[in-house]
Amino acid sequence: MSLIWMLIVGGIIGWLAGLIMGRDIPGGIIGNIIAGILGSWLGSFLGDWGPRVSEFYVLPSLIGAIVLIAVVSLVMHSMGGRRTRS
């Protein structure tokens, strides 16, 4: 049951981070879940503080997901910017 909660909360955190950043996360719902879970892992380096939902500390997880989305957007933009027209 905790896996289901982890997926749900991870998806919500990824979705919220995408809304805050104003960017779409590639991959839709799966991308949101991955961004939320990886963002939670990145946010764990900030400490264990704020409200906790299903093994996620919400505020550090959200900050981590925002950072992750910013990095992914930067990489995707730089990859798209190097294409040449034929």
Side-chain angles (χ1 to χ4, degrees):
M1 189 65 164
S2 65
L3 176 65
I4 293 171
W5 274 111
M6 184 177 76
L7 294 174
I8 292 170
V9 174
I12 292 171
I13 288 174
W15 173 71
L16 285 174
L19 284 178
I20 291 170
M21 290 293 295
R23 303 192 186 276
D24 290 332
I25 300 171
I29 294 172
I30 302 298
N32 284 338
I33 292 171
I34 292 171
I37 292 172
L38 289 176
S40 175
W41 176 75
L42 286 174
S44 70
F45 294 111
L46 298 174
D48 299 334
W49 51 275
R52 182 177 175 183
V53 178
S54 177
E55 305 301 320
F56 288 94
Y57 286 93
V58 177
L59 296 177
S61 297
L62 189 58
I63 292 168
I66 289 170
V67 169
L68 179 70
I69 290 170
V71 169
V72 168
S73 294
L74 181 66
V75 169
M76 296 292 280
H77 180 70
S78 68
M79 287 174 57
R82 293 185 180 171
R83 293 184 184 159
T84 58
R85 295 182 194 196
S86 47

